[in-house]
Amino acid sequence: MEEADQVEVDYVKALSLSQMEFENEQDLIIERKIKETLNVQTEEDEQLANAMQLSLVMASSKAVSSAFKIICAGCNNEISRRENRFDCNGIVWHVKCLQCHACIQMIKDDQFYMVENRPYHKSCARNKSHLKCYVCNDFIPYIGKEVEYGEHPFWAQKYCPSHEDDGTSKCASCERLKPKGREYILLQDGRSLCVECSSFMILDTNECQPLFREIQEYFTSLDMKLDQKIPLLLVEREALNEAMKGERNGHHHLSETRGLCVSEEQIIPVIHKRKHTGRNSTLNTQPFRLVRSCEVNAILILYGLPRLLTGSILAHEMMHAWLRLQGYPNLKPEIEEGICQVLAHMWLKSKINVGFEAAMIASSSSTQQPLRSNKQLSKIEQKLGECFVRQIELDNSEAYGDGFRVGEQAVSQYGLKETLHHIKHTRTFPF
Ligand SMILES: [Zn+2]
Ligand SMILES: [Zn+2]
Ligand SMILES: [Zn+2]
Ligand SMILES: [Zn+2]
Ligand SMILES: [Zn+2]
């Protein structure tokens, strides 16, 4: 993941070059003065630069070659060698032509910022340059004197609020808006996925089985083995929503249902095995009859999501299944969804903290459950995993968000076993 657009800001000490060209001694004095000024301001400016993800470049006083005509970037006329001028990395202005691109006032100060080859007052750059939209790559417009912007709590990229409803695609997995000029993958049921998420996506039931086994092993390692063999099926969005309507007590997520633990008898179109003939191959769905054999007939998961997200949804649904198979009473949504989210969160964290946990196990005297040693995740997958963890933590719905937060606190205070025991007997978290 590159920082999409590294805006370059040149920190400029503007110099009156004509005075210097013939006076080398003057050069040294001025250079020393520049250094002094810079030292005072470097810290502050570095902070600004860091905040803006910009690079700080010092203008060189020798940037203008005296062999060529010098043309003013403001009025496009020639600047005579005797004239005073402002210079920044070879871009030159008449002193009277240096205009701030934000406020359209003259820049009289001898220090200014360059943002994408345009000059700004220091104060104007400060206000504007860290408010660049990562979607349209333009400055986020002022509304009156204020700048209003949207910002994802994990990715922390700012964007114009208008992109939320101007048809800009949003990744159905990591929630990032599609930057202009980038490609997103369009799934057949209308969802879009960013390139990063789509590089890890799981597309059919067959492809999901290793992950299913991995999560079954995870439950076993927690001493919560599911004895019942439950089919796991990947389905399209529409099929999932239909199946949800068929459930008598299906709590579901407010924004989008991504998984379901099915108890009723239903016939569901399932994506068994996709023919790998390129990204746009048609989905091969077949009707699948779910027969009521026990409390849980199947777990349905939305297809096309990246591995870690699919896994966390699976862990969540497996927890529903476990609760039913263990004969837990009907629970309030914030208790049931809360504890299921706790499991999803635990599994995700076990994946992204792999290096850390492996080290812990190696150093401990090994009475602990041997955790399946996983390959270290790639940087991109690790970052996505962290995003999915934050999505769970920051969910603002009552059942999933508040439920998770209370459940997580209970588990960290009393342990998972104790918390579950308490839920079974009182239908509440132990608080
Ligand atoms: Zn000019
Ligand atoms: Zn200005
Ligand atoms: Zn924008
Ligand atoms: Zn994404
Ligand atoms: Zn649930």
Side-chain angles (χ1 to χ4, degrees):
M1 263 172 305
E2 307 296 330
E3 297 305 337
D5 301 284
Q6 187 102 11
V7 185
E8 264 193 31
V9 161
D10 300 324
Y11 177 70
V12 176
K13 177 74 183 178
L15 296 165
S16 169
L17 285 180
S18 50
Q19 290 169 346
M20 292 172 52
E21 273 172 4
F22 314 101
E23 300 171 70
N24 275 338
E25 276 177 45
Q26 276 295 95
D27 265 17
L28 293 173
I29 296 167
I30 290 173
E31 263 174 38
R32 198 164 59 235
K33 275 188 180 162
I34 293 171
K35 276 184 191 145
E36 283 165 8
T37 323
L38 283 176
N39 280 342
V40 177
Q41 294 185 336
T42 302
E43 204 177 318
E44 185 192 346
D45 287 314
E46 266 174 10
Q47 278 171 5
L48 175 61
N50 286 340
M52 297 188 292
Q53 299 172 342
L54 305 169
S55 56
L56 217 61
V57 182
M58 213 183 107
S60 156
S61 59
K62 303 283 188 229
V64 185
S65 161
S66 52
F68 297 98
K69 264 190 185 179
I70 305 166
I71 302 295
C72 169
C75 67
N76 283 327
N77 293 317
E78 190 179 348
I79 305 173
S80 90
R81 299 197 181 283
R82 291 281 166 188
E83 260 179 297
N84 283 358
R85 59 186 181 251
F86 284 115
D87 158 45
C88 169
N89 285 352
I91 303 175
V92 196
W93 297 266
H94 290 110
V95 169
K96 62 175 176 22
C97 291
L98 186 68
Q99 204 181 47
C100 168
H101 193 70
C103 68
I104 324 292
Q105 303 293 313
M106 261 183 76
I107 300 176
K108 292 180 185 142
D109 198 358
D110 64 350
Q111 291 178 345
F112 57 94
Y113 273 96
M114 288 293 284
V115 183
E116 294 197 324
N117 287 340
R118 289 163 177 164
Y120 290 87
H121 289 112
K122 277 183 86 172
S123 58
C124 292
R126 231 172 264 270
N127 291 336
K128 285 205 86 146
S129 43
H130 62 291
L131 289 177
K132 240 188 151 191
C133 170
Y134 84 95
V135 175
C136 65
N137 200 25
D138 228 322
F139 288 118
I140 297 170
Y142 276 81
I143 300 171
K145 278 196 156 180
E146 295 292 303
V147 175
E148 268 180 44
Y149 58 87
E151 186 175 17
H152 190 277
F154 178 79
W155 299 107
Q157 292 162 304
K158 297 183 174 68
Y159 56 86
C160 314
S162 59
H163 301 315
E164 275 172 4
D165 45 25
D166 67 357
T168 300
S169 306
K170 189 184 209 169
C171 175
S173 155
C174 71
E175 300 172 328
R176 274 177 294 187
L177 291 164
K178 180 172 106 54
K180 235 188 204 167
R182 295 270 192 94
E183 288 300 321
Y184 267 31
I185 305 297
L186 189 63
L187 297 177
Q188 280 177 36
D189 57 13
R191 288 173 293 146
S192 316
L193 247 71
C194 74
V195 174
E196 279 99 16
C197 286
S198 68
S199 65
F200 299 103
M201 63 188 176
I202 294 185
L203 289 167
D204 62 45
T205 297
N206 202 44
E207 208 180 343
C208 198
Q209 296 307 317
L211 186 61
F212 188 33
R213 279 194 294 277
E214 190 184 322
I215 291 168
Q216 282 172 318
E217 281 170 26
Y218 183 71
F219 272 67
T220 305
S221 79
L222 298 171
D223 203 14
M224 294 166 65
K225 190 173 186 322
L226 279 94
D227 297 314
Q228 188 74 37
K229 203 164 163 30
I230 305 164
L232 161 76
L233 306 164
L234 258 67
V235 294
E236 281 186 278
R237 188 193 226 171
E238 201 182 325
L240 189 63
N241 290 332
E242 280 303 310
M244 204 176 60
K245 284 184 212 154
E247 289 295 297
R248 263 177 301 179
N249 54 357
H251 318 123
H252 54 88
H253 210 290
L254 302 167
S255 50
E256 163 117 55
T257 310
R258 300 188 292 196
L260 187 68
C261 186
V262 184
S263 296
E264 308 297 326
E265 292 200 8
Q266 298 203 30
I267 297 173
I268 287 154
V270 168
I271 309 166
H272 284 285
K273 192 170 178 181
R274 213 168 127 276
K275 289 194 190 78
H276 286 277
T277 52
R279 287 202 176 279
N280 297 322
S281 59
T282 44
L283 292 174
N284 174 19
T285 63
Q286 284 162 17
F288 189 93
R289 177 183 284 276
L290 301 179
V291 186
R292 190 178 178 102
S293 54
C294 67
E295 285 301 306
V296 182
N297 297 330
I299 289 172
L300 308 184
I301 305 284
L302 196 55
Y303 88 104
L305 296 173
R307 196 176 70 97
L308 290 179
L309 184 56
T310 307
S312 76
I313 298 165
L314 195 44
H316 175 107
E317 299 306 329
M318 292 253 297
M319 189 58 195
H320 279 303
W322 186 86
L323 292 170
R324 284 182 212 175
L325 294 172
Q326 294 291 314
Y328 274 63
N330 276 340
L331 301 168
K332 279 193 291 184
E334 58 268 36
I335 307 293
E336 176 146 354
E337 300 304 345
I339 196 69
C340 290
Q341 284 297 73
V342 168
L343 265 288
H345 188 257
M346 278 171 61
W347 178 78
L348 266 178
K349 292 207 69 160
S350 81
K351 296 300 290 181
I352 63 174
N353 293 334
V354 162
F356 176 71
E357 286 194 6
M360 291 270 289
I361 287 166
S363 67
S364 78
S365 51
S366 83
T367 38
Q368 256 174 307
Q369 291 283 349
L371 268 175
R372 261 274 170 126
S373 145
N374 305 286
K375 272 179 278 152
Q376 195 76 41
L377 302 177
S378 70
K379 262 199 181 131
I380 293 175
E381 199 174 21
Q382 172 79 21
K383 194 83 186 159
L384 288 174
E386 287 165 17
C387 168
F388 305 143
V389 164
R390 293 300 284 163
Q391 284 174 346
I392 293 176
E393 292 169 353
L394 297 175
D395 192 313
N396 56 16
S397 75
E398 203 179 305
Y400 292 78
D402 296 345
F404 163 76
R405 286 179 285 273
V406 179
E408 149 95 329
Q409 213 184 322
V411 170
S412 66
Q413 198 166 333
Y414 301 100
L416 182 60
K417 251 196 183 129
E418 184 67 32
T419 304
L420 286 171
H421 183 81
H422 196 275
I423 290 174
K424 189 167 190 173
H425 295 283
T426 63
R427 303 187 189 198
T428 58
F429 288 123
F431 284 117

